[in-house]
Amino acid sequence: MEELLDPALGAVRVFLVHDDNKARKLRYNLGPARILTFGGAYSGHIRAVAAAGLRHGFETIGVIRGEEHLPLNPSLAHAVACGMRLDYLDRTSYRLKHTPEIQARLRARWGDVAILPEGGSNAAAVRGCAELPGELPGEVAGDYDVICCPVGTGGTLAGISAGLPEGRRALGFAVLKGAGFLVGEVARLQREAYGRVWSNWSINLDYHFGGYARTTPTLNGFIAKYRVEGVYVAKMLYGILDLVRQGAFPRGTRIVAVVTGQPSTPVAECAAPTGLDSGEPRWRR
């Protein structure tokens, strides 16, 4: 854990907690002999599933958005080296990947598979992420007001919110443009996991910087200054600092900022299953 030091914070304190949300999302999804999932060509989720398959001895299939390009980029080459078999969907079909027609086509090709959504966000993933607040390091455990996280598919925020102690709140920062739909997604995921929706969370839609994996000179300067990953973490941290400047947090507020993604963290093998992103490390030192 580190503390973010910036004069703009004034009396607000921000603690950076590194946590592998990919591993948390997979924890309760392990169990099937063959898992099929989706991702872009640089997907950290694809890499995490492939690595978990190698570690725990189950088959993995990665369905990649777009056409095959050889030689494979480092992310997909790593997935293949872990034993993952790759399939591809054109972008039109990929947008329909959740439909019965596309999934039936994939099952016809790959046989009996457990299908995980893009990003791994399902009810089991929410339960894995709900354990995060209870595992915060001692310096901040029980002594914070807000937990912030980047939001791509909504599973991490849905889980964090569900696991918060009374009186705390969760604030997500959308990395997608036009991401208002994520409010409904987070609520849906909480209902599927727990049969209820919490009121202790919200999503800020103002710091996407043009959309997923898009950037601007302002964001590039922020990334260079703080040496943070740009697709997710930089947008969250920029948003936190900007909101502090605007007076959105009272003096003395203690914020935990979850630095998501450390692909090297092993995935713990747990219960049977119930049910967009970059391949870059989430934090560069």
Side-chain angles (χ1 to χ4, degrees):
M1 188 190 76
E2 306 171 46
E3 183 169 358
L4 180 65
L5 301 177
D6 190 293
L9 289 171
V12 174
R13 300 184 70 182
V14 176
F15 301 92
L16 308 177
V17 174
H18 302 251
D19 192 87
D20 187 356
N21 65 327
K22 302 298 183 193
R24 287 190 185 279
K25 286 180 175 181
L26 288 177
R27 181 174 296 168
Y28 297 113
N29 273 301
L30 300 184
R34 180 183 296 160
I35 289 179
L36 179 148
T37 194
F38 305 88
Y42 290 89
S43 169
H45 171 66
I46 288 288
R47 296 198 327 178
V49 171
L54 176 64
R55 186 174 297 114
H56 298 299
F58 60 87
E59 296 181 52
T60 58
I61 300 102
V63 180
I64 310 303
R65 180 179 62 247
E67 294 71 37
E68 180 181 37
H69 294 283
L70 298 175
L72 296 174
N73 68 42
S75 288
L76 295 184
H78 174 78
V80 169
C82 289
M84 176 175 274
R85 290 179 287 174
L86 301 182
D87 200 350
Y88 295 85
L89 283 177
D90 64 82
R91 292 176 184 274
T92 300
S93 298
Y94 193 87
R95 285 193 289 270
L96 302 173
K97 61 187 177 297
H98 60 286
T99 63
E101 293 78 11
I102 295 296
Q103 296 200 359
R105 186 202 308 176
L106 291 170
R107 291 185 191 279
R109 175 172 172 78
W110 293 106
D112 184 17
V113 294
I115 296 180
L116 296 187
E118 184 177 28
S121 290
N122 60 9
V126 171
R127 288 195 289 275
C129 292
E131 296 173 353
L132 189 157
E135 296 175 1
L136 291 173
E139 298 93 321
V140 293
D143 189 17
Y144 62 91
D145 303 291
V146 185
I147 294 187
C148 296
C149 69
V151 180
T153 56
T156 301
L157 178 62
I160 288 174
S161 159
L164 283 179
E166 195 69 32
R168 311 306 197 277
R169 62 189 178 97
L171 173 59
F173 289 85
V175 302
L176 312 173
K177 186 177 181 180
F181 71 93
L182 285 171
V183 174
E185 279 296 290
V186 172
R188 177 186 66 81
L189 287 165
Q190 290 190 332
R191 278 194 297 269
E192 290 183 359
Y194 297 104
R196 59 164 291 192
V197 177
W198 277 259
S199 60
N200 60 0
W201 59 272
S202 59
I203 303 177
N204 186 292
L205 306 176
D206 297 334
Y207 298 98
H208 55 74
F209 290 88
Y212 182 77
R214 300 291 181 89
T215 189
T216 67
T218 298
L219 185 63
N220 286 337
F222 186 87
I223 292 167
K225 178 179 179 180
Y226 291 99
R227 300 187 44 147
V228 292
E229 179 274 330
V231 177
Y232 291 92
V233 176
K235 294 179 178 182
M236 171 189 66
L237 292 180
Y238 187 99
I240 292 171
L241 282 168
D242 196 48
L243 290 175
V244 170
R245 292 187 192 99
Q246 295 175 36
F249 299 105
R251 289 176 56 83
T253 298
R254 293 169 62 89
I255 299 171
V256 172
V258 180
V259 178
T260 52
Q262 301 168 347
S264 61
T265 302
V267 178
E269 189 162 20
C270 290
T274 56
L276 322 157
D277 60 39
S278 162
E280 290 297 309
R282 296 296 184 260
W283 185 266
R284 298 193 185 101
R285 294 187 181 277

